Every structure is written in structure tokens, then in C-alpha cells.
Amino acid sequence: ANAGTDVVSSDGGRTTTTHATHDDQHRNHENYARALARRFDSIPPGLRNALYPFQKQGVLFGLARSGRCLIADQMGVGKTIQALAIASCYRDEGPLLVAVPASMRLAWARECERWFPGLLTKNLVVVNGAGDSFAVETVRAVGNKLRELQE
């Protein structure tokens, strides 16, 4: 076997040592890379194919962090398309809430309609102000229902 790395863990005072070989580490890396590629491939084709190489790198960066990332780029370089690409990979995990300045809410709605061809207009809710609290309650109810169905 190849020389590996000792990994030590402690469980309730009992310590066990596992020897991970270089082959094991390589296999784990390959599995991770395949899982990341599958997640990336779940992006709708029109959206995936529209990404520039640097945007693809940004999306992969976000996916490698389970979608938890901050996209802070200059104006006009595609933060919206990157964010939507990342979000599309988690579409089966519940509703998406996009919080943007009021001046950007309709632009985001248009981009959602553009890049998510299967999105039904009735499922896209644009909140215009405090008077739209029903929309927040609707999103919350949908999220709760999805969690119930998954359990």
C-alpha cells in the first residue's frame, strides 16, 4: 500500500486511528470531483452554456461550498447569472429567496424567467413592499411543505 496520512479521531474517550492511503485520498478526490460535475451538469443547459469561463469558475467555487458563497464582482460581469446558476443546482431543496434593492427586483424577476424556462409565472413572487407580507408567508408555507414531503 502507498504511504498515507494518519487520521486520529476521539470518540467518548476512546481514540481510534485510521490510515488513509494515497489511493484512498485519490479515490475520495475523484468522487468529490464527479459529484461536483454532476451538480454543475444539473444547471439548465441554456444557462450553463451561456456562462463565460470565468463565470463557470465562480459557479464551481460556489458549488464546492454547497452554494454558500458571496459573489462580489464589478458591475456588469455576470453576478446575477452566476447566482442563478448556483441556485438552480439546489432547486429541489426548497424555495429560493432573492433579496435585492427595490430597483433591481424586476430585473431579477426577468432574469429568472429568462434562465429558468420551466419556471411558472405563478411561482415567481415579487415583493413590492411591506404590504406584500402574504408573499413571505406563502414562501414559508411552501418551504415547510417541501420539508414535510422529504421526511
Side-chain angles (χ1 to χ4, degrees):
N2 294 332
T5 304
D6 287 327
V7 180
V8 179
S9 61
S10 181
D11 183 344
R14 195 180 100 213
T15 302
T16 58
T17 304
T18 305
H19 189 72
T21 67
H22 178 70
D23 290 341
D24 291 337
Q25 292 172 346
H26 183 71
R27 236 183 330 277
N28 287 340
H29 179 73
E30 285 178 346
N31 289 339
Y32 173 76
R34 277 194 296 276
L36 194 60
R38 275 192 306 274
R39 183 73 77 164
F40 184 82
D41 289 344
S42 74
I43 298 170
L47 177 56
R48 185 177 59 243
N49 295 334
L51 294 170
Y52 288 107
F54 73 91
Q55 292 169 326
K56 179 180 176 181
Q57 286 179 329
V59 170
L60 289 170
F61 177 89
L63 294 178
R65 286 148 187 82
S66 301
R68 292 172 173 85
C69 64
L70 175 66
I71 304 171
D73 241 330
Q74 297 174 14
M75 286 178 53
V77 294
K79 294 180 293 295
T80 301
I81 193 172
Q82 289 178 74
L84 291 174
I86 293 168
S88 74
C89 294
Y90 300 96
R91 62 186 165 269
D92 295 332
E93 296 183 25
L96 170 66
L97 173 65
V98 178
V100 297
S103 62
M104 295 299 298
R105 69 183 185 275
L106 297 178
W108 270 81
R110 279 191 304 274
E111 292 301 304
C112 286
E113 291 172 338
R114 174 181 179 191
W115 296 113
F116 299 145
L119 178 67
L120 301 175
T121 305
K122 69 178 185 174
N123 293 332
L124 178 62
V125 179
V126 177
V127 178
N128 292 310
D132 285 344
S133 61
F134 75 91
V136 175
E137 292 304 319
T138 301
V139 170
R140 185 175 293 132
V142 168
N144 289 337
K145 189 65 172 173
L146 281 171
R147 276 189 288 285
E148 287 174 17
L149 292 172
Q150 289 174 347
E151 293 174 350

